[in-house]
């Protein structure tokens, strides 16, 4: 049991160096499924450990995940007790107010995961969960737009096939209630993504390939909805597909802001904008009223809502395919840039080498010329000295003759 505790708290220990980590990543991505999904730089690096630990470490990760799920719901329940009075005072004792309270209370589990478990137990920074400081607003707005478009596409499939009808605008639309619901769903979406993507994928991938982390995390995410009303085989399949698409979006964008916004916006648009059941839950205070056509539950999802229908299956499957293509393209572009950088560096080194050789040759020529000039000067001086000696002797001889 000792190694389990050490593994849970292994963030306290030093992790492999960046050079070793790079080599491990290269080995992990040499073929098979690894060529599709790269591990983003913000995730904790791979832990180079003994084989017996690797073979059993998944048990620790699952136990840790289940422990966090329990803490997640406990902190959520306690958070409800803290914030329900002021929200009920503003919105009244309605089902929408209760939904807002439950959603906003998820901020307490988020803080628990990030601060208590992440920073104090594992000694990890918030950035390792995907809370990157770069392009926060841009990433979040993209996620909101994606959530709106994806849900609208799913609903469009149901409307075109005649399995869903939008009957018109609802009566007594309350703007403040809609703002509160949208805000609360943004927190709710971020909470689930922090637990399932920000924590689970980044922790599990410390010792296992990211592909395995994506699959197991998606299955666990679907299992969390087993108690929802109207759940069945197709709804669970769709929840797994959403888990996969959310995981890929999280990895592709390399931050949690986008997928948190997408998740929250998906739920709000589905339940409060279009008036469709959200994972089997009927919401009040909707902007539009929708009606599922009986006998076409395969498409509209029946009692579970759109997420239980084949329209969502098509949208999620298309999203996964597109994300895989984009990830492959991103990886190829990165490889091309890397190769171009290597070629550029090689060219620069080659040019430097050529310049050094030219400089050496020039210096050699200069030295040779200097030696030649020096020798010429020496020879000239020697001739001059010789001539001086001859002249001196002639003068002496002439003096002797004169005497």
């Amino acid at each position: 049991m000792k190694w389990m505790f050490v593994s849970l708290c292994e963030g306290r220990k030093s992790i492999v160096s960046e050079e070793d980590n790079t080599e491990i990543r290269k080995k992990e991505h040499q073929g098979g499924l690894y060529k599709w999904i790269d591990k983003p730089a913000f995730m904790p690096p791979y832990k180079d450990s003994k084989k017996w630990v690797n073979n059993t470490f998944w048990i620790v990760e699952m136990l840790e995940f289940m422990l966090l799920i329990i803490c997640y719901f406990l902190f959520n329940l306690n958070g409800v007790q803290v914030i329900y009075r002021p929200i009920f005072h503003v919105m009244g004792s309605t089902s929408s107010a209760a939904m807002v309270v439950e959603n906003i209370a998820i901020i307490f589990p988020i803080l628990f995961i990030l601060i208590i478990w992440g920073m104090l137990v594992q000694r990890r920074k918030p950035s390792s969960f995907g809370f990157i400081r770069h392009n926060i607003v841009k990433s979040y707005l993209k996620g909101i737009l994606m959530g709106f478009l994806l849900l609208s596409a799913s609903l469009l499939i149901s409307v075109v096939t005649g399995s869903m009808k939008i009957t018109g605008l609802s009566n007594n639309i309350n703007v403040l209630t809609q703002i509160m619901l949208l805000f609360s769903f943004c927190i709710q979406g971020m909470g689930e993504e922090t637990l399932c993507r920000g924590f689970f994928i980044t922790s599990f991938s410390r010792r296992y390939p990211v592909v395995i982390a994506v699959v197991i995390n998606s299955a666990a995410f679907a299992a969390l909805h087993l108690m929802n009303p109207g759940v069945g085989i197709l709804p669970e399949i769709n929840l797994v597909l959403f888990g996969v698409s959310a995981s890929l979006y999280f990895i592709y964008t390399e931050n949690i802001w986008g997928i948190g916004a997408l998740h929250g916006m998906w739920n709000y648009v589905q339940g409060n904008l279009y008036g469709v059941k959200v994972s089997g839950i009927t919401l009040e205070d909707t902007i539009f009223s929708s009606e599922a056509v009986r006998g076409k539950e395969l498409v509209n999802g029946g009692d579970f809502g759109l997420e239980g229908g084949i329209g969502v299956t098509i949208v999620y499957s298309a999203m996964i395919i597109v994300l895989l293509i984009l990830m492959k393209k991103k990886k190829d572009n990165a490889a091309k840039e890397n190769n171009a950088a290597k070629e550029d560096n090689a060219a620069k080194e080659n040019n430097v080498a050529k310049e050094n050789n030219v400089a050496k040759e020039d210096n050699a020529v200069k030295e040779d010329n200097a030696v030649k000039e020096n020798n010429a000067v020496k020879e000239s001086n020697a001739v001059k000295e010789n001539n001086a000696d001859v002249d001196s002797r002639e003068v002496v001889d002439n003096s002797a003759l004169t005497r």
Side-chain angles (χ1 to χ4, degrees):
M1 296 297 293
K2 180 180 178 182
W3 68 269
M4 287 190 178
F5 179 77
V6 171
S7 297
L8 286 173
C9 304
E10 74 170 339
R12 297 175 177 270
K13 307 174 83 174
S14 61
I15 305 180
V16 293
S17 65
E18 187 60 32
E19 292 78 9
D20 294 337
N21 181 46
T22 302
E23 292 301 319
I24 294 172
R25 290 186 183 186
K26 286 181 180 179
K27 292 178 181 178
E28 289 287 346
H29 301 151
Q30 280 179 349
L33 290 174
Y34 306 129
K35 66 183 179 181
W36 292 96
I37 304 176
D38 266 341
K39 185 173 184 178
F42 73 86
M43 289 188 183
Y46 290 99
K47 182 70 177 176
D48 190 14
S49 61
K50 295 180 180 179
K51 186 176 181 180
W52 65 271
V53 174
N54 274 333
N55 290 339
T56 51
F57 188 70
W58 66 272
I59 301 175
V60 180
E61 290 292 352
M62 295 307 297
L63 290 174
E64 187 178 8
F65 185 57
M66 287 188 285
L67 174 62
L68 279 188
I69 290 174
I70 296 172
C71 294
Y72 184 93
F73 287 108
L74 288 177
F75 272 81
N76 184 228
L77 289 174
N78 290 327
V80 168
Q81 300 301 318
V82 172
I83 67 173
Y84 83 94
R85 290 184 184 275
I87 293 179
F88 273 35
H89 178 73
V90 173
M91 299 182 63
S93 299
T94 64
S95 60
S96 294
M99 177 64 69
V100 170
V101 169
E102 184 179 347
N103 287 344
I104 292 180
I106 290 178
I107 196 170
F108 294 97
I110 293 175
L111 294 175
F112 166 77
I113 294 173
L114 290 178
I115 298 175
I116 298 178
W117 198 260
M119 298 178 68
L120 298 181
V121 177
Q122 291 188 329
R123 295 289 178 88
R124 290 170 54 182
K125 296 179 180 179
S127 58
S128 69
F129 291 89
F131 289 94
I132 308 299
R133 296 180 182 179
H134 184 63
N135 286 334
I136 296 176
V137 175
K138 183 179 179 180
S139 299
Y140 202 87
L141 291 178
K142 280 186 178 180
I144 287 177
L145 179 61
M146 287 293 296
F148 174 79
L149 293 177
L150 290 171
L151 192 282
S152 298
S154 303
L155 180 64
L156 181 61
I157 293 173
S158 294
V159 172
V160 170
T161 56
S163 60
M164 183 77 71
K165 295 179 181 179
I166 298 179
T167 56
L169 286 171
S170 301
N171 297 324
N172 301 320
I173 299 174
N174 189 310
V175 176
L176 176 61
T177 299
Q178 293 300 321
I179 293 173
M180 293 292 289
L181 285 165
L182 174 59
F183 175 72
S184 71
F185 271 117
C186 287
I187 294 178
Q188 178 261 343
M190 186 62 72
E192 291 190 17
E193 292 308 316
T194 300
L195 175 67
C196 295
R197 256 61 71 178
F199 170 77
F200 187 89
I201 288 183
T202 57
S203 294
F204 199 88
S205 62
R206 286 178 296 171
R207 295 181 187 271
Y208 299 101
V210 182
V211 175
I212 297 177
V214 168
V215 173
I216 297 179
N217 143 79
S218 302
F221 176 79
L224 292 176
H225 296 77
L226 281 172
M227 302 303 293
N228 285 40
V231 73
I233 296 177
L234 186 55
E236 281 297 302
I237 292 174
N238 284 343
L239 287 168
V240 171
L241 290 176
F242 174 78
V244 173
S245 60
S247 301
L248 295 180
Y249 191 86
F250 171 63
I251 294 169
Y252 175 71
T253 57
E254 299 189 20
N255 67 75
I256 201 168
W257 304 111
I259 189 56
L262 187 156
H263 192 155
M265 194 63 178
W266 171 280
N267 288 341
Y268 171 77
V269 171
Q270 182 175 203
N272 294 107
L273 178 60
Y274 293 131
V276 181
K277 291 182 179 180
V278 180
S279 300
I281 301 172
T282 302
L283 302 181
E284 297 181 0
D285 292 304
T286 65
I287 296 177
F288 292 97
S289 297
S290 299
E291 180 183 346
V293 177
R294 292 186 177 276
K296 295 189 177 183
E297 288 79 7
L298 180 64
V299 180
N300 61 38
D303 292 335
F304 196 75
L306 277 178
E307 293 171 339
I310 200 167
V312 169
T313 308
I314 295 171
V315 170
Y316 284 160
S317 299
M319 182 178 178
I320 291 171
I321 293 172
V322 171
L323 282 170
L324 286 174
I325 293 173
L326 291 175
M327 293 173 79
K328 183 68 167 57
K329 185 178 180 180
K330 182 179 181 180
K331 185 174 181 178
D332 290 341
N333 290 337
K336 288 179 181 178
E337 290 177 0
N338 188 35
N339 291 334
K342 288 181 179 179
E343 291 176 357
D344 187 50
N345 290 334
K348 288 181 179 178
E349 290 177 358
N350 189 32
N351 290 334
V352 170
K354 287 181 178 178
E355 290 176 359
N356 289 336
N357 291 334
V358 170
K360 287 180 180 179
E361 291 177 357
D362 188 48
N363 290 334
V365 170
K366 288 181 179 179
E367 290 177 359
D368 186 52
N369 291 335
V371 170
K372 289 180 178 179
E373 289 177 0
N374 190 30
N375 291 336
V377 170
K378 288 181 179 180
E379 291 177 359
S380 177
N381 291 335
V383 170
K384 289 179 180 179
E385 290 176 359
N386 188 37
N387 291 335
D389 289 340
V390 171
D391 291 340
S392 176
R393 288 176 186 175
E394 288 179 352
V395 170
V396 172
D397 291 341
N398 289 334
S399 298
L401 291 174
T402 302
R403 290 177 184 175

